[in-house]
Amino acid sequence: MAAARNLSNLTLAHEIAVNENFHMEHVDLPQNSLEGRVKQIVHKAFWDHLESELNEDPPEYYHAIKLFEEIKETLLSFLTPGANRIRNQICEALDADLIRQQAEHDAVDVLGLANYVITTMGKLCAPIRDDDIKQLKATGNIVELLRQIFHVLDLMKMDMVNYTIQNIRPQLQRNLVDYERTKFQEILEETPSALDLTTEWIKESIKDELLSVSCETSSSPGADGSSKPNLSPTLVLNNGYLKLLQWDYQKKAIPETLITDEVRLQKLKEKLNELQIIACVSLIASNMVGTTIVGLPDFSDKLKRISTVLLEGMNKEKFDLKEALNTIGVQICSEVNRSLSERGFPTLNMEIQNSLVGQICSIVEEDNPISSLIDKRIQLYMKSLLTLPSIQKCMPTIPGGLVVIQAEIESIGSQYASIVNFNKQVYGPFYANILRKLLFGEAPMGKTETDASTN
């Protein structure tokens, strides 16, 4: 449980710091769900019971007083430590003992108390809640008014949480590396197996690099195949990071040290898959039609827009990629023929059109040469990003065939490099211990507060 709490805190801190758009939202359960129906039934029963109590002669105020006690505590939770004046006002106005004494003499002004609560909420709420406060003031039925007060208070709680998140974000960003490393060290002490998946990930990377070196050695004349290659720890680690862009996130667990960025990495992978197909389509069209048309101003952008629209949602399970590619091929043929006709050139005959559509549809086939070529160039570009000292100052040259997706791939590359570089800063000492053991047979060092680094 301690390890789970540490992981939860680590994940939340990481998300707040790296995701500028991170915020909490008030979520209502779907009414057609079991939980939603149960909640609706229970709440209706409570409010109906409250209404029947208030309609008795004399009225029964027990549950109403309980509600005002809860409202009081919620309002007090919104105050800063120095807000003593309004704190005293709330405590006096919503004094439960005083309200009980009034109830004994049937002298409780429930509507007056509710109006005081609404006025106080108006002073404490964010501007975005002004319309909600106005709607409260226009509500006549006291039970419905109390119910809506609790709804708006729930929204104000979310506003307060999000305000707190905004305030602590700069401090978290300044101390995130040390905080995450310390928390993960605590997790490791509680759960010694917390690096098992990470170790396997690095082992796979070492295996890939050894295979690559072996192939290069065997193809070189006069090479001594008996000598054991010396692998660079940085090369091994970078190769591991590249594997994350082809990871099967649905079936394979991600290394423990990358859990906090799993969703971001998965989205980058999915976007790269889409861009790879767009680049393939563009290359096929260029080879089939020639530069006379494809080289026209904005024409390649038109083909790109066609592909982008029809590939939307391609990473969803039920998406029919084959059908989408066929439609892309047909629309590209139509767009090419229209442009040819406008310029007085003969249109594509059916044989060329069928060939163009067929080549586009074959992109998804295993070992498709064009798809393999574009994939290698994307991997080459991403690999080159990991060797740059500062991604913001200098972007590597875009390989041939990727110019049509240059803006998108540079944006994805920048996000990817930021994730990797930050991950190295936090978990570099843990990686160094694993690499030291796997590559050089050395015993790992003690706690990771050492200055070990894999950068």
Side-chain angles (χ1 to χ4, degrees):
M1 290 178 65
R5 281 195 300 271
N6 282 329
L7 180 58
S8 178
N9 291 338
L10 186 155
T11 303
L12 181 60
H14 183 86
E15 197 64 30
I16 291 173
V18 304
N19 183 0
E20 294 288 342
N21 297 319
F22 177 80
H23 64 282
M24 304 296 289
E25 292 183 352
H26 179 76
V27 179
D28 290 321
L29 294 170
Q31 291 188 356
N32 58 351
S33 67
L34 176 60
E35 297 89 344
R37 289 198 299 270
V38 170
K39 178 181 177 181
Q40 188 178 19
I41 292 169
V42 171
H43 281 209
K44 186 178 185 305
F46 172 81
W47 294 113
D48 287 348
H49 181 64
L50 176 65
E51 186 170 22
S52 66
E53 285 186 339
L54 295 178
N55 287 333
E56 291 178 8
D57 188 17
E60 170 59 54
Y61 294 107
Y62 176 79
H63 286 101
I65 294 172
K66 286 291 184 181
L67 291 180
F68 281 113
E69 284 183 311
E70 188 174 340
I71 290 171
K72 171 186 170 183
E73 294 304 317
T74 302
L75 291 175
L76 292 175
S77 72
F78 294 146
L79 303 181
T80 57
N84 294 324
R85 182 179 177 183
I86 191 170
R87 185 184 304 276
N88 292 334
Q89 290 175 351
I90 292 172
C91 289
E92 290 175 7
L94 300 177
D95 186 336
D97 292 334
L98 178 60
I99 297 174
R100 288 192 183 92
Q101 291 176 16
Q102 292 173 341
E104 291 174 359
H105 299 87
D106 191 18
V108 179
D109 184 4
V110 177
L111 185 59
L113 291 172
N115 285 330
Y116 170 79
V117 168
I118 294 171
T119 301
T120 306
M121 289 168 65
K123 296 176 182 178
L124 299 177
C125 71
I128 195 175
R129 300 299 163 208
D130 288 346
D131 288 342
D132 295 312
I133 299 298
K134 288 179 182 178
Q135 290 179 16
L136 289 178
K137 292 178 179 178
T139 305
N141 181 281
I142 184 61
V143 174
E144 178 62 19
L145 179 58
L146 288 171
R147 191 176 72 84
Q148 290 301 324
I149 283 174
F150 273 91
H151 173 68
V152 177
L153 285 173
D154 283 342
L155 297 177
M156 289 174 63
K157 288 177 185 177
M158 287 296 102
D159 296 338
M160 180 59 70
V161 169
N162 290 325
Y163 174 74
T164 305
I165 287 172
Q166 288 181 354
N167 283 343
I168 66 174
R169 179 173 285 124
Q171 183 179 356
L172 271 177
Q173 289 171 334
R174 287 192 296 270
N175 301 284
L176 190 59
V177 171
D178 290 337
Y179 175 81
E180 286 200 28
R181 189 182 297 164
T182 301
K183 281 295 177 186
F184 193 81
Q185 179 64 49
E186 292 174 6
I187 292 172
L188 195 58
E189 290 170 1
E190 296 285 345
T191 313
S193 62
L195 279 172
D196 286 359
L197 293 174
T198 302
T199 302
E200 286 303 312
W201 169 59
I202 293 177
K203 280 182 179 179
E204 288 180 17
S205 182
I206 291 174
K207 184 178 177 181
D208 290 345
E209 284 301 311
L210 286 173
L211 183 62
S212 176
V213 171
S214 176
C215 291
E216 291 176 6
T217 303
S218 61
S219 63
S220 301
D224 183 7
S226 61
S227 59
K228 185 178 180 180
N230 292 320
L231 298 181
S232 161
T234 301
L235 190 64
V236 169
L237 196 55
N238 285 349
N239 179 64
Y241 284 121
L242 286 172
K243 290 170 72 70
L244 299 172
L245 296 175
Q246 298 177 320
W247 201 268
D248 189 343
Y249 289 90
Q250 304 301 323
K251 298 179 180 178
K252 193 174 182 181
I254 198 169
E256 298 91 347
T257 53
L258 287 147
I259 286 176
T260 52
D261 286 308
E262 180 175 7
V263 174
R264 274 175 286 276
L265 287 167
Q266 183 174 356
K267 287 182 178 178
L268 291 183
K269 176 213 171 184
E270 291 174 353
K271 186 60 181 176
L272 277 180
N273 289 343
E274 181 182 328
L275 291 175
Q276 180 180 339
I277 291 179
I278 292 173
C280 288
V281 169
S282 177
L283 186 58
I284 290 170
S286 178
N287 290 339
M288 289 289 294
V289 179
T291 57
T292 305
I293 293 297
V294 178
L296 290 172
D298 299 330
F299 188 79
S300 61
D301 287 338
K302 288 181 181 178
L303 301 188
K304 179 180 173 182
R305 284 195 295 271
I306 291 172
S307 299
T308 301
V309 170
L310 292 171
L311 290 173
E312 186 176 349
M314 66 165 281
N315 293 293
K316 294 179 180 177
E317 187 177 349
K318 295 182 179 180
F319 187 83
D320 191 341
L321 185 54
K322 271 276 191 182
E323 180 62 29
L325 290 174
N326 184 76
T327 306
I328 289 171
V330 171
Q331 289 203 18
I332 285 177
C333 288
S334 176
E335 184 64 33
V336 168
N337 283 335
R338 187 181 66 80
S339 295
L340 287 170
S341 296
E342 288 176 354
R343 289 160 180 81
F345 294 112
T347 58
L348 303 178
N349 60 44
M350 286 306 300
E351 183 180 353
I352 294 178
Q353 290 186 53
N354 290 336
S355 178
L356 177 58
V357 173
Q359 287 194 45
I360 289 174
C361 289
S362 69
I363 289 172
V364 292
E365 294 177 1
E366 192 174 353
D367 297 327
N368 178 271
I370 294 178
S371 182
S372 298
L373 174 65
I374 294 297
D375 179 58
K376 286 179 182 177
R377 291 181 178 178
I378 289 175
Q379 292 295 315
L380 177 65
Y381 178 77
M382 292 297 171
K383 188 174 184 178
S384 64
L385 286 172
L386 301 185
T387 62
L388 293 178
S390 176
I391 185 62
Q392 285 77 21
K393 294 179 181 177
C394 177
M395 297 294 284
T397 304
I398 293 289
L402 305 185
V403 176
V404 69
I405 56 171
Q406 179 171 349
E408 292 85 356
I409 201 169
E410 284 182 347
S411 173
I412 289 176
S414 179
Q415 296 172 57
Y416 170 68
S418 295
I419 291 173
V420 169
N421 290 334
F422 180 80
N423 186 265
K424 284 183 177 180
Q425 289 182 59
V426 175
Y427 299 101
F430 298 98
Y431 296 145
N433 273 345
I434 296 171
L435 288 164
R436 192 177 291 111
K437 179 180 179 180
L438 295 178
L439 290 179
F440 311 113
E442 299 178 12
M445 299 177 67
K447 285 190 176 182
T448 56
E449 286 81 8
T450 60
D451 294 329
S453 174
T454 57
N455 290 339

